[in-house]
Amino acid sequence: MKRYEQFADDIAELIRSGVLAPGQRVPSVRYASQTYGISPSTVFQAYYLLERRGLIRAKPRSGYFVNVHTPTPFAEPVVSSHGAESMQVDVSELVFSVLDSIKDPHTVPFGSAFPCPMLFPLQRLARSMATACREMDPRLVVTDLSPGNPQLRRQIALRYMVGGLMLPMEELLITNGALEALNLCLQAVTEPGDLVAIEAPAFYACLQVLERLKLKAVEVPVHPRDGIDLEVLADTLERHPIKAVWCMTSFQNPIGATLPEARKKALVELLRSHQVPLIEDDVYAELYFGLHAPKPAKAFDTEGLVMHCGSFSKSLAPGYRIGWVAAGRYAQKVERLKLMTSLCASMPAQAAIADYLQHGGYDRHLRKLRDALEEQQNAMLAAIARYFPAQTRVSKPTGGYFLWLELPEQMDSLKLFEMALAQGISIAPGPIFSPTQRFRNCIRLNYGSPWDAASEKAMETLGKIIKSF
Amino acid sequence: MKRYEQFADDIAELIRSGVLAPGQRVPSVRYASQTYGISPSTVFQAYYLLERRGLIRAKPRSGYFVNVHTPTPFAEPVVSSHGAESMQVDVSELVFSVLDSIKDPHTVPFGSAFPCPMLFPLQRLARSMATACREMDPRLVVTDLSPGNPQLRRQIALRYMVGGLMLPMEELLITNGALEALNLCLQAVTEPGDLVAIEAPAFYACLQVLERLKLKAVEVPVHPRDGIDLEVLADTLERHPIKAVWCMTSFQNPIGATLPEARKKALVELLRSHQVPLIEDDVYAELYFGLHAPKPAKAFDTEGLVMHCGSFSKSLAPGYRIGWVAAGRYAQKVERLKLMTSLCASMPAQAAIADYLQHGGYDRHLRKLRDALEEQQNAMLAAIARYFPAQTRVSKPTGGYFLWLELPEQMDSLKLFEMALAQGISIAPGPIFSPTQRFRNCIRLNYGSPWDAASEKAMETLGKIIKSF
C-alpha cells in the first residue's frame, strides 16, 4: 500500500468511527504534513482519493470537510415482515429471464450479479496461468483430485490466518465456484423435504439450490444494516425442525447488510445451542470499504458447525469458477459429495490462482478494486438522489457492489424490469429474492461497473420510468 | 495421418474383418509395394507397427503372418446372472479406498480410472491455454455462462458431424467433466426413490451418483463383447417403473463391451417404445482401435430421448474437467440444472480446448494415443498369459484401456486388493462395480500406462498372489 493510501485509510476510519463528524474540517494539508511526517503532496493525494470516494469535499479557499450527508438523502429500507410458514421454492423462470437480460453486452448491467470484469487483473492472471500450465506436473492430474491443489489451499489458509482464523488445511475443499460449495454443504446436511432457514430477501441462487434439492424454505427477515433478525431466527428454530441456516453474514446479497461481530457471535451461539449447522455464504468478504475485513461467523465457531464458503469469482477471476469451503465437522462428507458430483475443480484454474496469490499482487489489486467500488457506490447514490422519487429508500452497504432500493408502494418491479429492459437497462426485480415473490416494490442495482455517461443516462431513464408509475 | 499408418490401418481392418485369417501370410513387402504403389520402406514401417500392435508377427525368412491367436489364450468372462430386484446403493466406502490407493505415485496404477497423463499433449495444451487467456474478451466472463464457450461447442458439433451425427449447437452444454453431465441428466429425469436401470457390472461412479441422488438401481447384465443384455432390459422395463437407463454403449467400463450398431439401434427402439430416456455415457468414444469410431446410440435417436455425455478427460486433458452433454429434449432442463449447480464450467479450460481442437492437431494425437493403448493392451494380455492361472477369463475390448478379469471361483478380489497394495500395486476389485457387491472373483486392470519393467514385474507379482489363493 502506498503512503498516501494508508493516510487516506486512516482519515476514512476517523470519519467512519465518528471521530471526524459530518461537516467538520479535516486536518489542513500543512497540519497533517507536519503532524504525520509526510509531504504535503502525499496529503493532497490522500484527500483527492477521499474526495473521489465521496467521504470529504473541498470548499474553495477553506480546505476539506467531511461530507455532511453521505450522498444519499434517503432512508434505509424497512425490515421485511416475517413470513413464518415454510414454502416450496420455485423462482427459476423469473431468475432465468433476468440472467438472460444481462447477456447482451449493450445492456446497462444494473441487474448483473457480477462486478465489471474490466476491474480484474485478467492479463496478470493469464501470465500466472501460462506459468502454471508450463510447470504443472502431468501426474498431478490423477493424484491431485479433490480436495484440490495444495498450493492453492495453503494460500487460502494463509489468508484466513491473516484474518485471525486458524484453519487446518485438511478442512479446505476447492469447488467449482462458491455455488457448488453451497450446493454440496446443503446436500451434506439435508434430505429432500427438509426445512432450511434463509434470509428475506435472499440471494436468488440460494432459492434455486433449495428448489433443486427439493427443500423447503423458512424466511427470516434481514435488517438492511445489521443483517438477519436473530430474534425471529431463534423463534423459528424453536418452532420448526430446521436442518440448516443459510446466511450471508457480510455485504448480504441483495440488501448489503453486515452482521456486526457481536451479532455474528450470537448467531453462532444460537445455532450451537440448537446444534444446527450454519452455511455461511461469504463471497463478498474481500470487498469491504473500511480498514479491516469483517470477521466471518466462522471465526466464532468452536464446534465445527459453520461451513464457510468463499470464492474468487467476485474479487479476482469470475470465469475461472474457483471457490472453496471450510466445512468444519462436515468436511469429509462434503469432500465425498464433491468427488461424486464433479470429481474436482479445473486444475489449470486452480494452479493459476495459486500462482497469482503468491506472485501477482492480490492485495494491491484488492485495494484498487475496493476504492473503485466505493467510488461507484457514491456515484450511484448521487444519481439516485438526482433522479429517483423522494420516497425512495436505499441501503448503504459498507462493501460489495449492490444497492437495495425500496420504491414507492405502488411500484411493480416486474413491470419496471420489462420497461427498463426495453430501454436497454437491466435491473434485478425484488420478487426473485423471495420464494414467496415478495419485495414487489424493491429492486437491486449493481454498481460494479466504472461510472460513465451511459450509467448516468440509464439512471435518469430509470428515474423517469419509476416516476411514471 | 502418415502413409504407412494408413496402410497399416487398411491391413488391420482386413485382419479384423476376417479377410486375412489367423495364420495367413500377409502380402509380401514386394507385392504390397507394387500393388498399392508405395515404397517398400513404407510397407516395412506399416508391418513393424502392426507387429507392435500384436496383430502380425514375422517368421524368419518367410515373411509376416497374422497372429494365430490374439495374444491371450483365455476365454472371455461369463455373463453375470440377473439380479432383478432394485437396490439401495452404497458402495462409496469401498470406492474411496480404491481412489486413495492410486494417489501414491509409487504405486503401479492398475487400479486407476485414468490413462497415464504422459500420453497427453499437455505442453501443446498449455500453449493453447496461454493463447486463449491472452485473447479472451473479459466481458465473456459474464455474458458467456452456460451453455458454454461457443467456439468449443462448435468444435464438438463438428466432430459429431464428421461421425455422421447432425447436432444443433443449442443442444450442447459444457459441463465440469462428464461426471457432472451424468449427474445433471439423471437429476433431470428422476425424483428421489425412483428406479434406474444400470449395467452389471457398472462403472462405480454411476453407483455413487445413484447413491447421492437417492435412486434405486436395477441391474441388467452386460455381455463382455456385445454389451447390455437387451432381452433382460426389455423384461426389466416391462416389470419395473424404470425412469431412466444409464448405459456405456462403447468400451464399457469395466468390462470393455461395445454394442454393435444393430444392437444400439435396437436399444434406442426399445426405450422409445417405453418412452424411457437413455443416459449414454460415451467417454471412451475416441479410444477405438479399429479404423472407425463406433457410432453412439444417439445416432439412432429420432425423438430426443438419448442424452449423450462426452468428455475430454480420457482422450486429451484429464485435469481440465471439461465434458459435455447433448441432452435431446431435456437440453433446456439440464442447462438450467447446471446454472443452479455450478453456473458454468471453467472458462480458461473451455477456451484452451477450443483453441487446441482448432489448431493443436487433436486427430494426430488421438491416433498416437490409440496405437499406444492397443500396444499396451497386447502387452498386458501377454503378461496375463505368462503369469496368471490358466482358468483366468479375460475380456478383449476393441478400445479403451481396461481389461476385466474373471479369476478362479475361490478368489476374493477384496483380499487381493489389499495384498497387492501391500506390494505397491493397485487394482480395482470387482465388488465396487455393483450395488450388490457381486463380482467378488473379478478385477479390472488398467493398461493405460506405457508398458515397462515395473508393469511386467507387477503382473508377475499379481499372478503369484492369485495363485497363492
Side-chain angles (χ1 to χ4, degrees):
Chain A
M1 181 156 25
K2 298 220 176 94
R3 189 66 192 90
Y4 80 90
E5 292 174 324
Q6 210 167 30
F7 180 61
D9 278 348
D10 288 346
I11 297 290
E13 195 58 23
L14 293 176
I15 295 172
R16 279 197 196 84
S17 61
V19 173
L20 283 171
Q24 196 176 335
R25 192 168 187 274
V26 301
S28 73
V29 174
R30 187 191 301 178
Y31 178 82
S33 163
Q34 286 169 352
T35 314
Y36 296 94
I38 50 182
S39 74
S41 82
T42 302
V43 180
F44 268 119
Q45 272 186 293
Y47 286 180
Y48 292 152
L49 179 61
L50 291 169
E51 200 177 11
R52 279 208 311 283
R53 288 199 208 159
L55 290 175
I56 64 175
R57 73 163 120 195
K59 287 192 193 167
R61 280 179 301 275
S62 347
Y64 284 92
F65 293 80
V66 178
N67 260 331
V68 170
H69 50 78
T70 53
T72 164
F74 297 118
E76 63 188 11
V78 294
V79 180
S80 67
S81 63
H82 174 224
E85 291 320 294
S86 68
M87 304 285 165
Q88 292 288 351
V89 182
D90 182 14
V91 293
S92 283
E93 284 300 325
L94 212 49
V95 171
F96 289 123
S97 60
V98 175
L99 282 180
D100 268 348
S101 76
I102 57 163
K103 285 197 173 184
D104 180 348
H106 301 297
T107 301
V108 179
F110 292 156
S112 174
F114 296 93
C116 173
M118 307 292 186
L119 296 175
F120 297 114
L122 296 178
Q123 287 308 315
R124 180 62 190 79
L125 262 174
R127 287 220 312 279
S128 276
M129 178 63 96
T131 309
C133 281
R134 232 179 8 248
E135 293 174 0
M136 194 153 49
D137 180 344
R139 281 166 307 183
L140 293 185
V141 301
V142 290
T143 57
D144 212 14
L145 305 178
S146 290
N149 182 303
Q151 280 75 34
L152 178 58
R153 289 160 63 227
R154 190 165 305 122
Q155 291 292 327
I156 294 172
L158 276 173
R159 295 192 72 82
Y160 273 111
M161 206 181 70
V162 170
L165 187 52
M166 298 302 287
L167 212 62
M169 253 193 62
E170 297 68 47
E171 202 184 322
L172 278 169
L173 170 73
I174 307 297
T175 57
N176 298 310
L179 184 55
E180 189 187 51
L182 294 159
N183 264 281
L184 297 174
C185 288
L186 208 46
Q187 210 188 350
V189 296
T190 62
E191 299 284 328
D194 279 351
L195 265 57
V196 176
I198 63 165
E199 296 159 318
F203 176 36
Y204 53 77
C206 163
L207 305 177
Q208 290 185 305
V209 173
L210 263 62
E211 185 180 333
R212 194 181 75 82
L213 296 175
K214 297 170 175 68
L215 300 167
K216 287 182 184 147
V218 181
E219 293 186 271
V220 178
V222 177
H223 183 279
R225 241 177 311 114
D226 291 344
I228 194 163
D229 188 319
L230 292 179
E231 274 176 41
V232 176
L233 180 61
D235 182 56
T236 303
L237 288 165
E238 286 296 338
R239 300 198 303 135
H240 297 282
I242 301 289
K243 288 294 162 55
V245 177
W246 173 322
C247 197
M248 299 188 80
T249 49
S250 296
F251 320 124
Q252 196 259 5
N253 177 358
I255 214 168
T258 298
L259 286 157
E261 277 195 14
R263 286 168 58 82
K264 280 179 179 147
K265 213 167 168 173
L267 170 65
V268 172
E269 179 51 32
L270 174 64
L271 295 190
R272 197 198 54 74
S273 71
H274 287 270
Q275 286 293 299
V276 169
L278 172 66
I279 299 171
E280 184 175 28
D281 181 356
D282 203 13
V283 296
Y284 306 106
E286 296 282 12
L287 305 183
Y288 55 89
F289 297 161
L291 266 190
H292 304 288
K295 275 195 176 158
K298 175 87 180 169
F300 307 104
D301 179 28
T302 52
E303 297 197 0
L305 269 171
V306 178
M307 306 157 96
H308 187 253
C309 300
S311 169
F312 294 105
S313 298
K314 321 292 186 183
S315 55
L316 178 64
Y320 282 50
R321 304 303 304 143
I322 298 297
W324 70 88
V325 53
R329 64 166 83 156
Y330 308 100
Q332 195 198 30
K333 191 157 184 202
V334 172
E335 182 185 333
R336 291 185 163 195
L337 282 171
K338 167 72 180 159
L339 277 166
M340 294 189 209
T341 311
S342 59
L343 207 55
C344 63
S346 191
M347 287 180 183
Q350 292 186 66
I353 293 182
D355 180 273
Y356 176 85
L357 292 181
Q358 251 186 306
H359 309 294
Y362 188 36
D363 284 304
R364 200 167 53 238
H365 153 66
L366 283 175
R367 272 196 302 275
K368 277 174 60 186
L369 177 61
R370 287 174 201 134
D371 282 356
L373 292 178
E374 188 166 13
E375 209 179 311
Q376 291 159 203
Q377 186 193 76
N378 281 313
M380 185 175 265
L381 284 169
I384 292 172
R386 274 192 288 283
Y387 306 119
F388 282 40
Q391 315 96 294
T392 307
R393 290 169 169 268
V394 186
S395 66
K396 191 175 177 334
T398 55
Y401 47 89
F402 295 123
L403 291 182
W404 181 251
L405 281 75
E406 201 180 309
L407 301 170
E409 203 51 60
Q410 70 277 17
M411 195 66 219
D412 180 343
S413 63
L414 293 175
K415 271 204 193 118
L416 177 60
F417 168 71
E418 277 165 29
M419 291 167 77
L421 199 55
Q423 306 275 332
I425 306 162
S426 81
I427 61 161
I432 67 174
F433 301 99
S434 159
T436 45
Q437 310 213 350
R438 292 191 279 162
F439 309 109
R440 229 183 151 75
N441 61 326
C442 296
I443 59 174
R444 186 195 70 183
L445 295 183
N446 176 320
Y447 56 81
S449 296
W451 201 257
D452 58 14
S455 327
E456 191 70 24
K457 181 89 187 89
M459 290 298 285
E460 190 181 352
T461 307
L462 269 185
K464 276 187 194 149
I465 303 177
I466 291 168
K467 284 176 178 165
S468 76
F469 266 77
Chain B
M1 180 158 25
K2 298 222 175 95
R3 189 65 193 89
Y4 80 91
E5 291 174 324
Q6 209 166 30
F7 180 62
D9 278 347
D10 289 345
I11 297 291
E13 195 59 21
L14 293 177
I15 295 172
R16 277 195 198 87
S17 61
V19 173
L20 282 172
Q24 198 177 335
R25 193 168 186 272
V26 299
S28 73
V29 173
R30 185 192 302 176
Y31 178 83
S33 162
Q34 285 169 355
T35 315
Y36 296 92
I38 50 180
S39 74
S41 82
T42 302
V43 180
F44 267 120
Q45 273 187 293
Y47 286 0
Y48 291 154
L49 179 60
L50 290 170
E51 202 178 7
R52 279 208 310 281
R53 289 201 208 159
L55 290 175
I56 63 175
R57 74 163 119 190
K59 286 191 192 167
R61 278 180 302 275
S62 348
Y64 283 93
F65 294 81
V66 179
N67 259 333
V68 171
H69 50 78
T70 54
T72 162
F74 296 117
E76 63 188 9
V78 294
V79 180
S80 67
S81 62
H82 174 223
E85 291 321 295
S86 68
M87 305 285 163
Q88 293 288 353
V89 182
D90 182 14
V91 294
S92 282
E93 284 300 326
L94 212 48
V95 171
F96 289 122
S97 61
V98 176
L99 282 180
D100 268 349
S101 76
I102 57 164
K103 285 196 172 183
D104 179 346
H106 301 296
T107 301
V108 179
F110 293 155
S112 173
F114 296 94
C116 174
M118 306 293 188
L119 296 174
F120 297 113
L122 297 179
Q123 286 308 314
R124 180 61 191 79
L125 262 173
R127 288 222 310 279
S128 276
M129 177 63 95
T131 309
C133 282
R134 229 176 14 244
E135 294 173 1
M136 195 153 48
D137 180 346
R139 283 167 306 182
L140 293 185
V141 301
V142 289
T143 58
D144 211 17
L145 305 178
S146 290
N149 182 303
Q151 280 75 34
L152 178 58
R153 288 159 64 228
R154 190 165 303 120
Q155 291 293 328
I156 294 172
L158 276 173
R159 295 193 72 82
Y160 273 111
M161 207 183 68
V162 169
L165 187 52
M166 299 301 288
L167 211 63
M169 252 192 63
E170 297 68 48
E171 201 184 321
L172 278 170
L173 169 73
I174 308 296
T175 57
N176 298 311
L179 183 56
E180 188 186 51
L182 294 159
N183 265 280
L184 297 173
C185 288
L186 208 47
Q187 210 189 351
V189 296
T190 62
E191 299 284 328
D194 279 351
L195 265 55
V196 176
I198 63 165
E199 297 159 317
F203 176 35
Y204 54 78
C206 164
L207 306 176
Q208 290 184 306
V209 173
L210 264 63
E211 185 180 329
R212 194 182 73 86
L213 296 174
K214 297 170 175 69
L215 300 167
K216 287 180 185 152
V218 181
E219 293 185 271
V220 178
V222 177
H223 183 279
R225 239 177 310 116
D226 291 344
I228 194 164
D229 188 319
L230 292 180
E231 275 176 42
V232 176
L233 180 60
D235 182 57
T236 302
L237 288 164
E238 286 297 338
R239 300 199 302 136
H240 297 283
I242 301 290
K243 288 294 164 55
V245 176
W246 173 320
C247 196
M248 300 189 79
T249 49
S250 296
F251 320 125
Q252 196 259 3
N253 177 359
I255 214 169
T258 298
L259 286 157
E261 277 193 16
R263 285 167 58 83
K264 279 179 180 145
K265 213 167 167 172
L267 169 65
V268 172
E269 179 51 34
L270 173 64
L271 294 190
R272 195 197 56 73
S273 71
H274 288 270
Q275 288 292 300
V276 169
L278 173 65
I279 299 172
E280 185 176 25
D281 181 355
D282 203 13
V283 296
Y284 305 107
E286 297 282 13
L287 306 184
Y288 55 89
F289 297 161
L291 266 190
H292 304 289
K295 276 194 174 155
K298 176 88 180 167
F300 307 104
D301 178 27
T302 52
E303 299 198 359
L305 270 170
V306 178
M307 308 159 94
H308 187 252
C309 300
S311 169
F312 293 106
S313 299
K314 322 290 185 184
S315 56
L316 179 63
Y320 282 50
R321 305 303 305 144
I322 297 297
W324 70 87
V325 53
R329 64 167 81 160
Y330 308 100
Q332 196 199 28
K333 190 155 186 203
V334 172
E335 182 186 332
R336 290 184 164 198
L337 282 172
K338 166 73 180 158
L339 278 165
M340 294 190 210
T341 311
S342 59
L343 208 53
C344 63
S346 190
M347 288 183 181
Q350 292 186 67
I353 292 182
D355 180 274
Y356 176 86
L357 292 181
Q358 255 187 303
H359 309 295
Y362 189 34
D363 284 306
R364 201 167 51 237
H365 153 66
L366 283 175
R367 272 196 302 276
K368 275 173 60 186
L369 177 61
R370 287 173 200 134
D371 281 357
L373 292 179
E374 188 167 11
E375 210 180 310
Q376 289 158 205
Q377 186 193 75
N378 281 312
M380 185 176 266
L381 284 169
I384 291 172
R386 272 193 288 283
Y387 305 119
F388 282 39
Q391 314 94 295
T392 307
R393 288 166 171 271
V394 186
S395 66
K396 189 174 179 333
T398 55
Y401 47 89
F402 294 123
L403 291 181
W404 180 251
L405 282 76
E406 201 181 311
L407 300 170
E409 204 51 60
Q410 71 276 17
M411 194 66 218
D412 179 344
S413 62
L414 294 175
K415 270 205 193 117
L416 176 59
F417 168 71
E418 277 165 29
M419 291 167 77
L421 199 55
Q423 305 276 329
I425 307 164
S426 80
I427 61 162
I432 67 174
F433 300 99
S434 159
T436 44
Q437 310 214 351
R438 292 191 281 162
F439 308 110
R440 232 186 148 74
N441 60 326
C442 296
I443 59 173
R444 186 195 72 183
L445 295 183
N446 177 321
Y447 56 80
S449 295
W451 201 260
D452 59 13
S455 327
E456 191 71 24
K457 182 89 186 85
M459 289 299 283
E460 191 182 350
T461 307
L462 269 185
K464 275 187 195 149
I465 303 178
I466 291 167
K467 285 178 178 163
S468 77
F469 266 76

